Amino acid sequence: MITRRLDNYGKINRDKILSFRWDKKIYKGFEGDTLASALLANNIGIVGRSFKYHRPRGIFSSGVEESGGLVTIGSKDRRDPNVRATTQELYNGLEASGQNAFPNVNFDLAGINNFLGRFFAAGFYYKTFMGIPPFEWGKGTAIWMFFEKFIRKAAGMGSASGLPDPDSYEHAHDFCDLMVVGSGPSGVAAAIEAAEKKLDVILVEQDSLIGGDQLAENNFDNSQIKKQLENLGIKIMTRTTAFGLYDNCVVGLLERVTDHIAAPDVNIPRQRFWTIRAKHIIVGAGAIERHIAFNNNDIPGVMTVNASKHYLNRYGVLTGKKIVIATNNDSVYETAQQLSEAGANVTVIDSRTNFKIETNKNYEIRKGYVPYNINGSKKINSLDISKSENINKSETINCDQVLLSGGWSPAVHLLSHRGVRPKWDYHNACFLPSDTKENITMIGSSRGLWNKNDCIASGIAGTTDALNRLGISKTNYFFPKPGGWKNPIQPLYEVKYKKSRSKSFVDYQHDVTSDDVRLAHREGFISVEHLKRYTTLGMANDQGKMGNIIGLSLMAELLNKEIPEVGTTVFRPPYTPVSIGALSGRNVGKHFRPLRVTPMHQWHIDHGAKMIEVGLYQRPWYYPKENETLSDSYIREATTVRKTVGICDVTSLGKISIQGPDSNEFLNRIYSNGFSKLQVGKARYGIMLRDDGIVMDDGTSWRLAENEYFMTTSTGEAAKVMSWLEELLQTRWTDLKVNVTSVSEQWAGVSVAGPKSREVLNNCVDDSLVITNNNLPFMGIASTFLKGNIPCRIARISFSGELAFEVYVKSDFANTMMDLLWKNTKKYNGCLYGLEALGALRVEKGHVTAAELDGRVTIDDAGLSKMASMKKSYIGSAMRKRGVLKNNDREILVGFFPTNLKETFNAGTIVCEKNNIKGQGIGRITSVTYSPELRHWIGLGFVKGGLDKWKDTTLVGADPVRNKQMNLRVVSPHMIDPKGERMYA
Amino acid sequence: MIRINCPYCGERDHSEFSYGGDATINYPSLDASEKEWTEAIFFRKNIKGFQFETWHHSNGCRMWLVVERSTVTHEIKSVKPCHPDLQKVVENNK
Ligand SMILES: [Zn+2]
């Protein structure tokens, strides 16, 4: 192929010279070039090596369907692999390199794969992997293991940088009445018609310029059109791809904001991911020219006819010197004429024998001929042609370029995303969009219209359709009939090579040949979906935009069916690849998910806390002194709580205000234990079950007044419990007069725990009489004031097993409360304690948390049978008695000690019988800690049959993940102070 | 993306809502038998076509809604509050 830039052609800006780097050498291009046009202008024909066979590959197209010119752009952390050179705009300093080749695309060592082709045929991976002959069953796997890394290195595309992405991305949203996809003649006509009818219109165009296929016309100027669209108030989004259509006319767009800029402003996102909610969508996405399968149809220099027209008229690049155009339809003749006028020697071979075309005869037309074989390897030397009647080499034409047009496929992809199957049109040899009830209208060549005037008419009809469907007008309209060529197309998908071992490519990007399709058929893959997966036809990132129809036609021939009987593959989003960065938008790093902090978050950090994530919440983990490790710290903290006093932030607990005359009845129905007799001024621990009898959550409810309660839930289940209460009140018990309000954010809570906790509080409350043992007994509550006139709620609730209080103030007072409590805690040599110490204290005491209540555990499993009332019915009361939840074999909550008290263990350890260490064992350890009180490691967990069955038996803890094993003793989960004497002190 | 026309908030993306379940179940009374409860919570029709289902506007007004939606096309025919009294209020305000 000999490509060169012409002086009098193209719409590039020749005043602005851009230099770029291709495979380490510097070249020049112009503003307005794509990387592909600039490479062609520099006569660079080979831009990559193919996926499996490492065959040299050139540029096949001028757009998104590109399946050869995939390159890597940028370097280091900005390296972006598999970019289509045909859509990458050139900028000054652009760095690009060829892919899948070593040392480079011109001389690639792995090119030897081309000669080992028979081993890389369809199903190669499956066969080797599964161990099908030539390898023996079962042995293939080992062979695969050995060769995998070589094969993976040899086959493939560009490689990712492996470094964090330095660019930013964002998500954006918009609404409109009408979304028009594509700015060709039909799309522009539709948009103008709609804007004139007062619709709010967004027009999206994947190209940098509006105009669609008109950009390949030599005298096309889009500035007038642009002005008109803008004057009508149409929002034009260029460099923006509508990659997917979703329910209710929602469109996903990818806007490439800075991919064409040499040194983008760092404050601007690289790409924007748009969600547009439209009322109606008009798709004028154009059509894609197909190639033809024949031997060596992938040699650099092969291109679609329309692409060469684009390169000539848009970029001023003549793509060949001696050009052969092979076709089966009328669409190529205008291009043939222009190419020859531009100075190329052009021959058209047309498979049809009987047709009429107007031409000025400065190029040759050979009727009844088809391409048979290309001679050459890195470039085209000549083309063997055959008579279409009798396929065999008849003569050879010397040339450096072969342009192909095997027909046109309307871009029905977006409609296909909505599950609308296209229908086959025999007359035009293509799939046409079917009708849909949704508010989507296909226009232009997307509905198989080949003439510009028909396209414009269809755009106006499309908008009328939209107006009718939106109920704005009731106007009759009609769409032009599909087609528009003077002579009918003659189906031509493959020209069979007579010799064996042909390389006749159906899917360039995935190196799928027509022999692969036949092999798959011989091996029994007769469904098109299976064929696709077995050969990987159409599964590369171009989704087979050029080759799918050829694959279908081959299958149809093999099955002795027509193409529509074989079916079509369903296109799924995205139409063109969307970067992961754009999908994640700003939700990366710290912003990956929302961060919840308690109002005293900074206070903890100022007081030396190390924080840990619990769900979305940041909570103090431990407060190390000087060189303390995590264990040093939490053991000291827990010991201090047991000895004197400690304070701990419990704000993350869910908090719900329950009000109304039926509140008591409501609580009595949702908790498994009785609440009807709970007096004003008292709190109660309660367990909620799900409908199916499994534990949902545990928490407390405080009766503040006759008809008002304050409920706390666990941190993790807070949102779920709130939704559940709302569901019950709004859907099931609609007669109950109860209102629930989440007040989690409104109250800040602290647990003051330890034998000296009352003394600490005495110094903090206005009136210390309120918290005496008489006035505030265990589970008593008080609404009172902290010093400084701060209203607070205090409940005598203990999670640690010590004398303890939970104190709540309005969130605004959180820091004042912390200062006050901490000042007085220090007086008693108390400490701040974090989640790790909290965990140690509760495990010692046998209190369950989310680690135990994992959605599989019943009230009985958790050893809390006493919490299930016998006197009333409640949610889950019937279902908790069903057989499977009552059988003797269930895993019951127990405590675990290592038999050798010097040993440690981890949560997740599987509990087994001594001589039967396998599978899921007979239980599991869910929580572990070092017990400061007992001075050895302890655990909570479950074992089949519970304590009674195993108390005298040594069991084994198996921890295959950490390669550990230890003997275990099963004990009561209440490992310290089982009678609760301390809590009641 | 499914768009749900909340009677209180207007048309919103489904990502603002949480799916509930079958809106046609009559939950038995709390003292009903295990058998009745089993029927109510474990047996579901797998409807192809329109069905009534509950959605919670969890990132909005927090109301539970009955949505009549096609399981085939996601087309939504109607959206109403679950609570019968609120249904009346919404009806009267139309
Ligand atoms: Zn709402």
Side-chain angles (χ1 to χ4, degrees), chain B residues 5-10 12 16-17 57-63 65:
Chain B
N5 194 6
C6 173
Y8 305 98
C9 311
R12 302 298 175 91
E16 285 186 14
F17 299 79
H57 200 181
S58 44
N59 289 318
C61 61
R62 297 209 54 98
M63 299 310 290
L65 307 170

Side-chain angles (χ1 to χ4, degrees), chain A residues 745-901:
Chain A
E745 307 277 338
Q746 280 68 27
W747 292 92
V750 172
S751 169
V752 185
K756 301 282 181 197
S757 55
R758 189 181 284 119
E759 286 163 62
V760 170
L761 271 190
N762 274 339
N763 291 310
C764 298
V765 289
D766 254 0
D767 178 5
S768 58
L769 269 180
V770 175
I771 58 163
T772 59
N773 194 31
N774 264 343
N775 291 336
L776 194 64
F778 184 62
M779 296 312 278
I781 62 167
S783 289
T784 180
F785 292 89
L786 294 181
K787 281 197 169 124
N789 214 20
I790 301 168
C792 71
R793 289 175 183 171
I794 301 177
R796 198 168 145 198
I797 291 171
S798 177
F799 196 50
S800 55
E802 300 297 326
L803 171 68
F805 302 85
E806 278 181 16
V807 186
Y808 287 89
V809 295
K810 288 179 183 168
S811 291
D812 289 349
F813 294 114
N815 289 326
T816 316
M817 168 173 68
M818 289 309 289
D819 286 338
L820 183 64
L821 289 171
W822 179 222
K823 190 176 87 187
N824 290 293
T825 301
K826 280 193 286 193
K827 285 184 194 161
Y828 297 89
N829 294 318
C831 71
L832 299 165
Y833 69 102
L835 205 63
E836 199 67 27
L838 185 80
L841 294 165
R842 72 97 187 168
V843 173
E844 285 184 328
K845 196 60 194 155
H847 281 312
V848 289
T849 61
E852 287 75 34
L853 302 179
D854 62 358
R856 295 179 290 175
V857 169
T858 67
I859 238 179
D860 303 301
D861 298 343
L864 296 165
S865 307
K866 278 187 210 154
M867 299 286 294
S869 170
M870 308 295 264
K871 295 178 193 150
K872 62 161 189 175
S873 299
Y874 49 90
I875 292 268
S877 60
M879 292 304 278
R880 82 175 190 90
K881 292 175 191 138
R882 64 199 154 111
V884 285
L885 300 187
K886 280 288 174 190
N887 89 42
N888 292 330
D889 209 23
R890 291 193 61 85
E891 295 182 353
I892 308 294
L893 186 81
V894 292
F896 290 105
F897 289 174
T899 308
N900 171 357
L901 293 177

Side-chain angles (χ1 to χ4, degrees), chain A residues 426-437:
Chain A
Y426 286 95
H427 192 70
N428 289 291
C430 66
F431 278 108
L432 295 180
S434 305
D435 290 332
T436 171
K437 277 187 186 170

Side-chain angles (χ1 to χ4, degrees), chain A residues 890-942:
Chain A
R890 291 193 61 85
E891 295 182 353
I892 308 294
L893 186 81
V894 292
F896 290 105
F897 289 174
T899 308
N900 171 357
L901 293 177
K902 291 202 173 98
E903 277 190 298
T904 68
F905 44 39
N906 294 80
T909 297
I910 299 163
V911 177
C912 301
E913 285 180 273
K914 213 155 191 191
N915 297 313
N916 195 14
I917 302 167
K918 65 177 188 197
Q920 299 183 358
I922 53 165
R924 61 210 152 91
I925 301 181
T926 50
S927 305
V928 298
T929 184
Y930 176 80
S931 165
E933 173 122 349
L934 300 171
R935 294 168 186 274
H936 61 79
W937 282 76
I938 58 171
L940 271 183
F942 294 85

